[in-house]
Amino acid sequence: MHKYDDVLPNTFIIGAAKAGTTSLFHLLQQHPQVFFSFDKEPKFFSDDEIFHKGLDWYCHTYFAKSAKFPIRAEATPHYLYWADKVAPRIKAAVADRPAKFIAILRNPIDRAYSWYWNMVVDGRESLPFADAIRAEESRIQENWSQLYPSGSMTYGYVRGGRYATQLKRYFDLFPKDQFLILLLEDLQKDQEKTVNDLLLFLGIDPNIELKLAQQNPS
């Protein structure tokens, strides 16, 4: 038995940003069979500085009291955005242990606009939306040496909506039956069915009443 077997997270909400990850986090937090990291977004696998603290630090810091829970989870939308480096890191960490991945997606245009306003509110964006879109690629390239190591999604308006490219990196490493792909629109229009699909995928009690409230709107 590996020393991490009882506390290593086995469920990852990997994104996308501004597509409902916070709503899923607060929804599943209500379930008695789910343990979530106290910080919704540990960013362990996406931020190089944090990642270099090691897997032992990660498990001890965020999941030390999780051993009795069948679902041990975290929700970091940066994991989908930075799939190229995150997916191999998660694969190495979980090895042959079972892991589940939840991706909740959104119309990429709406997602980009919502992320833009998130950046404006945070003080990281001063350009008008159309100008920010036009400047995206050049800004990412110019700031790559800062963005990549920190796993930052700054300027990633269009990039953050390239779901197929991002998910393929995970599908190359993990069986597709370990993934549940949801749409924010379905969660909003048919919450009961979407939540039922979610609980069925996780294999936990579907009879627990979970209440959805809008979270982190932009």
Side-chain angles (χ1 to χ4, degrees), residues 1 19 41 53 55 75 85-86 105 111-112 117 119 122-123 125 139 143 145 154 169-170 174:
M1 184 175 183
E41 302 179 12
K53 293 182 179 181
L55 195 61
K85 72 172 178 178
V86 171
L105 312 178
R111 194 219 70 84
W117 280 108
M119 294 295 94
D122 284 353
E125 182 58 83
R139 293 164 103 186
N143 294 278
S145 61
T154 301
R169 190 69 181 98
Y170 282 92
F174 298 94

Side-chain angles (χ1 to χ4, degrees), residues 16-18 80-81 106-117 119 125 129-140 153-166:
K18 309 311 298 180
L80 186 61
Y81 186 95
R106 180 183 187 181
N107 180 307
I109 298 172
D110 296 336
R111 194 219 70 84
Y113 194 57
S114 182
W115 184 243
Y116 166 79
W117 280 108
M119 294 295 94
E125 182 58 83
F129 179 62
D131 292 344
I133 294 295
R134 282 190 286 267
E136 176 175 342
E137 287 301 323
S138 62
R139 293 164 103 186
I140 289 176
M153 296 185 290
T154 301
Y155 309 129
Y157 309 117
V158 175
R159 180 186 174 94
R162 292 173 179 157
Y163 309 134
T165 300
Q166 296 159 352

Side-chain angles (χ1 to χ4, degrees), residues 55-204:
L55 195 61
D56 187 68
W57 173 89
Y58 172 62
C59 291
H60 176 76
T61 300
Y62 292 105
F63 299 97
K65 299 180 180 180
S66 68
K68 295 181 179 180
F69 292 80
I71 297 297
R72 303 181 296 275
E74 63 135 303
T76 302
H78 303 66
Y79 292 174
L80 186 61
Y81 186 95
W82 290 103
D84 281 350
K85 72 172 178 178
V86 171
R89 287 177 174 181
I90 294 180
K91 177 65 176 178
V94 302
D96 57 353
R97 304 177 193 85
K100 296 184 177 182
F101 300 88
I102 301 167
I104 182 165
L105 312 178
R106 180 183 187 181
N107 180 307
I109 298 172
D110 296 336
R111 194 219 70 84
Y113 194 57
S114 182
W115 184 243
Y116 166 79
W117 280 108
N118 195 99
M119 294 295 94
V120 171
V121 171
D122 284 353
R124 289 185 279 169
E125 182 58 83
S126 58
L127 295 179
F129 179 62
D131 292 344
I133 294 295
R134 282 190 286 267
E136 176 175 342
E137 287 301 323
S138 62
R139 293 164 103 186
I140 289 176
Q141 292 177 14
E142 291 167 3
N143 294 278
W144 186 259
S145 61
Q146 290 80 41
L147 297 175
Y148 181 84
S150 64
S152 172
M153 296 185 290
T154 301
Y155 309 129
Y157 309 117
V158 175
R159 180 186 174 94
R162 292 173 179 157
Y163 309 134
T165 300
Q166 296 159 352
L167 286 169
K168 184 181 184 303
R169 190 69 181 98
Y170 282 92
F171 293 161
D172 287 343
L173 297 175
F174 298 94
K176 288 187 179 180
D177 62 2
Q178 293 180 214
F179 292 82
L180 177 66
I181 311 298
L182 302 173
L183 298 179
L184 175 61
E185 292 80 3
D186 290 340
L187 181 61
Q188 294 170 334
K189 293 176 182 177
D190 194 346
Q191 177 186 336
E192 184 176 354
K193 180 183 183 305
T194 304
V195 172
N196 185 67
D197 290 345
L198 177 61
L199 299 182
L200 182 64
F201 172 73
L202 293 176
I204 53 180

